[in-house]
Amino acid sequence: MKSYGQLELDRVARRWRITQLAPHVAIAFKRMFPRVPVTSIEIGISDTDEVRADLHWFMSRYPLDHDEWDELDAAVDRLAYRAAERERILLPTWRPGELQGFKEGKAAYLYQTQAAKIAVANGGMLLGDDVGLGKTISAIAALLFGAPMPAAIVVQPHLAGQWKKRIEEFSSLRVHIIKGRTPYDLPEADVYIFKYSNAAGWVDIIKEGPFRSVIYDEIQELRHGRGTAKGEAATVLSNRADFRMGLTATPVYNYGDEMHAVMEFVKPDLLGDWSEFIREWCSSGRIVGNPDGLGSYLRDTGYFLRRTEDDPTVDASMPPPNILEWEIDHDLAAVEGEQEIARQLAQTVLRGSFAEAGRAARELDMKMRQLTGIAKARAVAAYVSLLLKDSPRVLLAGWHREVYDIWREALAPFNPVLYTGSESAAGKQRSVDAFCGGDSRVMMMSLRSGAGLDGLQYHCNDAVVGELDWSPQVHYQFFGRLRRPGQEKQVNAHYLHTNWGSDPVLLEMLGIKADQSRGINDPGIAPKPRMTDESRLKLLAQHVLSSA
């Protein structure tokens, strides 16, 4: 049989080398594998089952000399088996049979069991189920269904106790929370809970390989890759583990390149190395050129699973949300004397030098959002007070300390508590206990401080955004604190905005960053009409000056 080149597997580097390709075959190869540099003469490509299957297919047209048919055939068989097993498990008619490991009276929902079974069969996955669908229970189910022990779970600092409580509530697994950054003799346990803030101190212990499974809660914490202390620790954990699972509804916070960093901790090399990923998927810098294509590819590999409340297996357990958007009053007297500073900053943004404009833009963003929050703070409090005539509790989201102070004074009869970035883990837990126990009827939460928080859904179904964020995903996660398994009522999601300050521009811009996340999370769903992201602060500056 005619050969068109040479193929060799470097098992140490985990890369294929392709050499001596005929010129027209090299063109065809680079067309099929866009992660390969178009100028390469000797070609190298990361080794995964997906790449092996593609090589197998390519050689049906252009045979290459090699001794790896057994490896290639095995990869094709593994992919076919996993795909068939996924399809079988995800059928609405699939039933798991008797499930072992859960405590009496406790069990996972069907869709959570599906995720756990697929993850165990794969050796891991990124579970991107929508906010509120109970990814924690899916992870616990994976541990009970065969993920090897002992397991390490890495969480945000304030969620360690919640994870321990939930694991012990649903199972008989022994759990130990890692304390501090200084290693000590660990007690026997099935599950060890690390915090992203202390894992780096345990790298030497992790290198010894005691943790056979690793689960990353809110894995977007690792979206900056290995270049941080927590990223380096996670790299060692993933390299040593046989089972790797990531949990997040928002793997992409800003731009699609974050997906590569996240997937490296779940399935290394699935998207190639960094340079391969950039060549194959990114059209300009950090921006994924075809988010729908990347999202569809990740699903097809079986290492990314995402369901929403519209999924047939989820729909029955989740009441639909009720989105309420209200324009409220603002009080310019509350920010008297500050508006001139904002106007000066806006002029610098539009007319200053590059460096001056950059500094002024950041200051203008912070200043105008703060002033907007203060100007509408009492109107927000009045709205919440009205809600509390019929609602037992309200979850209220903000951003600025000055705004919280106004809310706390205006809502004093309801004994409001705080859950922001300023409280300790113990302080946050006291706030949760007061809110859930009925001592407080209002919890004021920072929009970016509630990731992973669970339990509020049993006591509240009204969530109010009192200050807007630039990221739509942040709002979505906030509402997800209430819209999750266990919520028996319709969740009312209240957006409160005013026709002054930064709010008009924020409302206009909120659809911008959503498309990078939308395409990867939900490929094939048409994006909403939107503007470009580049000029949001210039738009804010123009709005400030036009309102003067």
Side-chain angles (χ1 to χ4, degrees):
M1 180 182 295
K2 182 177 180 179
S3 172
Y4 291 89
Q6 301 286 328
L7 176 68
E8 180 183 356
L9 175 60
D10 184 336
R11 286 172 168 77
V12 176
R14 295 188 306 177
R15 292 184 67 81
W16 291 94
R17 291 197 308 121
I18 302 94
T19 58
Q20 302 178 35
L21 288 180
H24 69 291
V25 177
I27 293 172
F29 190 93
K30 293 169 185 177
R31 191 164 55 236
M32 180 172 174
F33 294 91
R35 64 180 62 178
V36 172
V38 294
T39 57
S40 292
I41 297 175
E42 183 174 301
I43 296 171
I45 191 169
S46 297
D47 175 38
T48 65
D49 276 356
E50 289 71 23
V51 168
R52 291 183 180 196
D54 287 346
L55 287 171
H56 192 288
W57 182 72
F58 182 83
M59 287 189 291
S60 67
R61 174 64 180 87
Y62 298 108
L64 304 176
D65 285 335
H66 66 91
D67 297 316
E68 303 292 352
W69 276 119
D70 288 345
E71 295 287 347
L72 297 174
D73 288 340
V76 171
D77 290 343
R78 283 193 296 270
L79 288 179
Y81 173 78
R82 288 202 298 262
E85 189 68 2
R86 284 196 308 275
E87 290 180 14
R88 183 181 71 85
I89 292 173
L90 290 174
L91 286 172
T93 55
W94 177 80
R95 293 296 179 268
E98 185 178 357
L99 298 176
Q100 303 292 329
F102 284 103
K103 284 185 175 179
E104 186 176 353
K106 298 293 182 180
Y109 288 118
L110 176 61
Y111 67 89
Q112 294 167 331
T113 302
Q114 289 173 323
K117 289 287 188 179
I118 293 172
V120 172
N122 280 354
M125 69 156 53
L126 174 61
L127 181 59
D129 279 353
D130 217 344
V131 174
L133 297 193
K135 292 179 286 295
T136 300
I137 306 304
S138 297
I140 295 171
L143 295 176
L144 296 175
F145 296 166
M149 301 286 186
I153 300 179
V154 189
V155 306
Q156 293 175 328
H158 62 287
L159 296 177
Q162 178 176 293
W163 263 89
K164 183 176 188 293
K165 180 179 179 181
R166 189 51 58 93
I167 293 171
E168 292 175 343
E169 176 187 351
F170 275 78
S171 76
S172 298
L173 295 174
R174 299 166 299 169
V175 184
H176 175 73
I177 297 177
I178 301 294
K179 300 175 178 63
R181 296 171 57 90
T182 303
Y184 53 86
D185 290 336
L186 293 175
E188 285 193 14
D190 302 304
V191 178
Y192 296 87
I193 298 178
F194 289 86
K195 302 170 186 176
Y196 283 107
S197 57
N198 70 7
W202 288 78
V203 166
D204 289 340
I205 303 298
I206 294 169
K207 286 179 179 178
E208 296 175 6
F211 307 110
R212 298 186 58 203
S213 294
V214 59
I215 296 171
Y216 301 105
D217 186 33
E218 303 296 345
I219 196 174
Q220 74 274 7
E221 287 281 335
L222 300 174
R223 66 188 182 276
H224 299 301
R226 302 176 182 179
T228 62
K230 60 186 175 184
E232 188 61 38
T235 298
V236 179
L237 266 171
S238 289
N239 287 344
R240 294 287 183 175
D242 300 313
F243 176 89
R244 314 173 193 94
M245 190 173 188
L247 312 176
T248 179
T250 52
V252 175
Y253 255 39
N254 292 293
Y255 297 106
D257 69 318
E258 295 169 352
M259 198 60 160
H260 179 269
V262 166
M263 288 306 302
E264 279 294 282
F265 296 105
V266 175
K267 182 62 176 175
D269 292 330
L270 179 67
L271 296 174
D273 62 27
W274 174 248
S275 60
E276 290 174 334
F277 174 78
I278 291 296
R279 279 191 293 269
E280 183 169 8
W281 293 106
C282 293
S283 58
S284 175
R286 303 177 58 194
I287 297 175
V288 169
N290 186 346
D292 293 84
L294 178 56
S296 179
Y297 172 75
L298 287 169
R299 278 170 169 73
D300 190 59
T301 66
Y303 287 99
F304 181 40
L305 177 64
R306 172 177 164 82
R307 281 80 54 87
T308 70
E309 67 271 13
D310 297 322
D311 186 278
T313 57
V314 176
D315 185 58
S317 66
M318 297 291 294
N322 181 30
I323 306 298
L324 301 166
E325 185 180 311
W326 294 97
E327 182 174 320
I328 59 174
D329 292 334
H330 59 272
D331 179 12
L332 292 182
V335 293
E336 188 176 1
E338 297 286 339
Q339 297 177 68
E340 181 57 33
I341 297 174
R343 282 192 287 270
Q344 291 174 5
L345 289 170
Q347 289 174 343
T348 304
V349 170
L350 297 176
R351 301 166 192 165
S353 67
F354 179 79
E356 291 172 339
R359 280 195 304 272
R362 290 188 292 273
E363 292 179 27
L364 178 65
D365 180 25
M366 292 186 290
K367 174 62 71 175
M368 283 309 300
R369 289 171 65 191
Q370 180 192 50
L371 295 182
T372 304
I374 292 172
K376 67 178 183 179
R378 294 199 177 276
V380 169
Y383 183 95
V384 171
S385 296
L386 188 62
L387 273 182
L388 288 167
K389 291 183 180 296
D390 297 313
S391 179
R393 297 174 184 82
V394 170
L395 191 62
L396 174 59
W399 187 250
H400 294 95
R401 185 62 51 179
E402 297 84 355
V403 175
Y404 297 143
D405 290 342
I406 296 172
W407 288 347
R408 183 151 46 186
E409 176 192 347
L411 296 169
F414 307 107
N415 190 28
V417 293
L418 280 168
Y419 192 106
T420 72
S422 300
E423 293 77 41
S424 65
K428 287 183 171 70
Q429 189 58 52
R430 285 193 295 271
S431 292
V432 171
D433 292 342
F435 186 68
C436 294
D439 293 334
S440 169
R441 295 183 64 194
V442 178
M443 178 184 283
M444 299 181 295
M445 175 181 288
S446 170
L447 276 165
R448 294 176 180 251
S449 292
L453 178 61
D454 192 32
L456 305 185
Q457 70 270 27
Y458 300 107
H459 309 282
C460 179
N461 70 308
D462 279 290
V464 176
V465 176
E467 289 190 271
L468 300 177
D469 192 280
W470 287 109
S471 171
Q473 294 300 315
V474 170
H475 296 149
Y476 200 52
Q477 280 205 331
F478 170 67
F479 295 133
R481 304 281 69 80
L482 301 183
R483 193 167 184 274
R484 54 181 52 221
Q487 177 62 261
E488 297 181 352
K489 299 179 180 178
Q490 183 180 47
V491 170
N492 299 310
H494 307 258
Y495 285 93
L496 304 188
H497 58 90
T498 189
N499 189 27
W500 181 83
S502 59
D503 273 7
V505 178
L506 276 160
L507 285 175
E508 194 173 6
M509 295 290 292
L510 274 172
I512 289 175
K513 289 180 179 176
D515 191 43
Q516 286 280 292
S517 176
R518 175 210 57 79
I520 294 172
N521 278 343
D522 302 302
I525 298 177
K528 296 178 181 178
R530 61 183 179 84
M531 303 165 61
T532 63
D533 187 33
E534 298 175 359
S535 59
R536 66 179 176 89
L537 294 178
K538 286 189 176 180
L539 286 173
L540 178 58
Q542 291 167 353
H543 178 75
V544 169
L545 293 177
S546 66
S547 302

